[in-house]
Amino acid sequence: MNPSLNLSSLGNASLADQVAKRALESVPAYQAYCGVSKLPDRWQDLPCTDKKSYLSDYDYADLLSPDVENCFSVFSSSGSSGQPFYWPQLRSEESDGGERLRRFLEASFEIHERRTMAIIGLALGSWIGGDHFSWAMKNLSQRSPYPFSVFSPGNQHEEIIRMIHASKPFTDQILLLVCPSAIGHLKSRAEAMGMPLPLERMRFLVIGEAFPESMRFDLAQASGIPQGRIQMLSIFGSADTGVLGHESPASALIRGWCEADPELRDALGFGRVVPHLFHLVDETAFLENVAGELCITKWQGIPLIRYNLHDGVRLMSWKAILDIVKPILPKGADDVLATLPDVLAITGRSDACLILCGTNINEAMLDNVMQQRQFSDELTGAYRARTIFDAGRQRLELELEIREGLERSVAWVEELYFRLVKALGDVQPEFKGDWEQIYCFWDEDPQQRILSLKFKPWPGLSGEGIKHRGIQ
């Protein structure tokens, strides 16, 4: 592997020093966490932080920046803990956010050349995804010299579908903001309503979870998009940090080429699962690769210093990537692309957590469900869980170990499905909300239900070893 491909960090190291120094001087929780008041000589001597070891262990007031009175908004996140955490957003954090968004949408989706309606299909409320993007898109619309409108129904799929059709007289394209796995649900719902989606005039900006490249390919095929044009791009960020990066049409194409070309994949040092390639767009953030996980340093409402998001990462030189793919780039394209920022190659959560349509479902949640007394006479508690894509729709596959001698009737499976849905909704309210708004529509058809249930007689799972891990 070309060593110039890999970078140990991205961003301004001098700025990161200033952030850490200021936090040591003015943030009580960080002072207590580090046990020192002076910046060490070596950056690596500063301890890494994360939600469990740092944020959850100190009083909320002691975590705050002294600038918190300049907060303009607050977002909440539940993360994989299931407990809300509140992130104050400073005005300074958004000083150039609108301009960055405009440049990105013009370069990626040509909103300055096509009458566009952005539809916010993400869950609304205090979550950063729906609330922030609805606000940001409306701000852009207010300042736009060209036709650009916004509709914010949240994850109300029927409203989305009806507006897509109603907007045809005054829009050339729809830019739909959703979790990628919601696209298959939306497409099926539209067909069931007799109002199939006009995919040829739709573009997709997705957040919240990774998706296989085959999904982008299949969507382009169904839409009749010319080869080489990108219809769907992904944004990477979190409530903890805000938006950190986004795909470009070029990085999305390269990911697609890697899926089809093992030699190119090997040249870039990727495994069989090719990561998303996000360009770093937050110039105030300093990013590190610490033992293969992404750590962030950034001054904000709650300052973060070497904060571990527990996302698997490689930090990569965009120029070095272009040098490798140059033989297959159109003539002259590398000159145009050379100005794009370096890349976070994100492989997904490195801890035991699944992301289902943007909702975190961790192993502790699933363990809680499987160990409940209501299931103890039928299930042993051993299980395997993974997300699967089925006809473009994401589902949660649960392989369950059943007790010896249990008879599996159709009626029993039917009853078990709804008990599992309720139990999972009790431990993860976001799943409950999505089931009530979206997934329940498919419950009549076992082949399309959000939970795909499979069974193994005891001891098919529990006999596999001393340590049984449920999430695959």
Side-chain angles (χ1 to χ4, degrees), residues 236 276-280 287 294 314-315 342-346:
F236 175 72
H276 285 280
L277 305 177
F278 298 105
H279 299 281
L280 175 64
L287 277 56
L294 179 61
R314 277 176 64 198
L315 304 178
D342 289 326
V343 161
L344 306 75
I346 298 291

Side-chain angles (χ1 to χ4, degrees), residues 103-219:
R103 291 197 302 266
F104 167 59
L105 295 181
E106 288 181 357
S108 301
F109 299 109
E110 300 170 334
I111 66 168
H112 57 307
E113 296 179 359
R114 300 177 180 177
R115 297 175 301 169
T116 301
M117 171 178 280
I119 296 182
I120 312 301
L122 302 159
L124 297 176
S126 59
W127 178 52
I128 186 173
D131 182 57
H132 176 74
F133 281 105
S134 179
W135 170 80
M137 291 290 182
K138 288 170 182 172
N139 276 349
L140 175 60
S141 177
Q142 283 278 49
R143 299 185 176 95
S144 175
Y146 40 76
F148 184 83
S149 56
V150 183
F151 179 58
S152 298
N155 56 3
Q156 304 293 321
H157 283 192
E158 286 197 13
E159 276 198 82
I160 293 171
I161 294 162
R162 295 187 191 283
M163 179 52 72
I164 287 172
H165 286 274
S167 66
K168 185 175 182 180
F170 58 94
T171 61
D172 299 317
Q173 70 175 0
I174 297 293
L175 177 60
L176 181 61
L177 280 76
V178 288
C179 295
S181 53
I183 296 173
H185 295 287
L186 191 66
K187 187 172 177 288
S188 297
R189 186 72 171 270
E191 290 166 356
M193 292 170 62
M195 303 174 71
L197 297 179
L199 293 174
E200 69 284 352
R201 68 182 188 96
M202 294 183 67
R203 302 295 181 266
F204 300 87
L205 187 57
V206 299
I207 69 170
E209 61 199 10
F211 59 86
E213 199 59 30
S214 59
M215 181 181 178
R216 185 151 38 199
F217 177 81
D218 291 344
L219 187 60

Side-chain angles (χ1 to χ4, degrees), residues 265-299:
R265 194 163 63 234
D266 291 343
L268 289 170
F270 297 143
R272 184 60 192 90
V273 178
V274 181
H276 285 280
L277 305 177
F278 298 105
H279 299 281
L280 175 64
V281 295
D282 186 346
E283 295 180 357
T284 68
F286 179 70
L287 277 56
E288 298 175 85
N289 178 342
V290 179
E293 296 188 337
L294 179 61
C295 292
I296 314 292
T297 297
K298 181 182 177 183
W299 189 263

Side-chain angles (χ1 to χ4, degrees), residues 396-407:
L396 178 61
E397 181 182 275
L398 296 176
E399 188 173 16
L400 309 173
E401 186 179 76
I402 60 175
R403 296 204 175 275
E404 189 176 14
L406 181 75
E407 293 184 9

Side-chain angles (χ1 to χ4, degrees), residues 71 83-84 158 164 182 212 215 235 244-245 294 335 384 391 442 449:
C71 162
Q83 298 298 317
E158 286 197 13
I164 287 172
M215 181 181 178
I235 285 179
L244 293 173
L294 179 61
D335 295 331
R384 286 200 193 104
W442 310 109
R449 289 174 173 172

Side-chain angles (χ1 to χ4, degrees), residues 201-445:
R201 68 182 188 96
M202 294 183 67
R203 302 295 181 266
F204 300 87
L205 187 57
V206 299
I207 69 170
E209 61 199 10
F211 59 86
E213 199 59 30
S214 59
M215 181 181 178
R216 185 151 38 199
F217 177 81
D218 291 344
L219 187 60
Q221 289 284 97
S223 306
I225 299 295
Q227 189 173 6
R229 286 186 66 88
I230 296 297
Q231 185 180 22
M232 178 168 67
L233 293 174
S234 183
I235 285 179
F236 175 72
S238 67
D240 309 34
T241 63
V243 172
L244 293 173
H246 58 64
E247 292 183 305
S248 66
S251 72
L253 281 173
I254 290 170
R255 186 180 190 238
W257 292 338
C258 286
E259 288 283 0
D261 185 346
E263 290 186 6
L264 178 60
R265 194 163 63 234
D266 291 343
L268 289 170
F270 297 143
R272 184 60 192 90
V273 178
V274 181
H276 285 280
L277 305 177
F278 298 105
H279 299 281
L280 175 64
V281 295
D282 186 346
E283 295 180 357
T284 68
F286 179 70
L287 277 56
E288 298 175 85
N289 178 342
V290 179
E293 296 188 337
L294 179 61
C295 292
I296 314 292
T297 297
K298 181 182 177 183
W299 189 263
Q300 51 182 34
I302 294 177
L304 302 177
I305 299 90
R306 308 199 78 199
Y307 180 76
N308 194 336
L309 282 175
H310 295 295
D311 281 302
V313 73
R314 277 176 64 198
L315 304 178
M316 303 181 70
S317 162
W318 178 241
K319 181 181 182 302
I321 292 173
L322 289 181
D323 287 344
I324 290 174
V325 302
K326 187 173 182 177
I328 55 178
L329 286 174
K331 188 175 181 181
D334 54 332
D335 295 331
V336 177
L337 300 176
T339 58
L340 289 171
D342 289 326
V343 161
L344 306 75
I346 298 291
T347 53
R349 295 294 293 259
S350 58
D351 53 0
C353 184
L354 298 174
I355 302 179
L356 181 70
C357 202
T359 295
N360 290 321
I361 299 176
N362 67 19
E363 201 163 59
M365 294 173 182
L366 290 169
D367 288 348
N368 178 289
V369 169
M370 299 307 164
Q371 298 296 331
Q372 287 183 14
R373 184 176 299 171
Q374 62 167 313
F375 301 118
S376 61
D377 290 339
E378 305 144 293
L379 308 179
T380 67
Y383 69 96
R384 286 200 193 104
R386 63 173 184 152
T387 54
I388 58 173
F389 275 84
D390 186 0
R393 293 173 59 244
Q394 194 183 36
R395 303 171 72 199
L396 178 61
E397 181 182 275
L398 296 176
E399 188 173 16
L400 309 173
E401 186 179 76
I402 60 175
R403 296 204 175 275
E404 189 176 14
L406 181 75
E407 293 184 9
R408 286 177 291 159
S409 67
V410 173
W412 176 77
V413 173
E414 185 81 356
E415 182 193 29
L416 179 67
Y417 170 84
F418 287 102
R419 283 194 287 151
L420 288 168
V421 165
K422 183 180 184 308
L424 188 54
D426 288 342
V427 297
Q428 175 47 292
E430 291 179 19
F431 171 84
K432 179 181 179 181
D434 283 341
W435 178 76
E436 290 173 346
Q437 296 291 340
I438 302 168
Y439 306 144
C440 67
F441 182 81
W442 310 109
D443 280 345
E444 295 300 316
D445 184 353

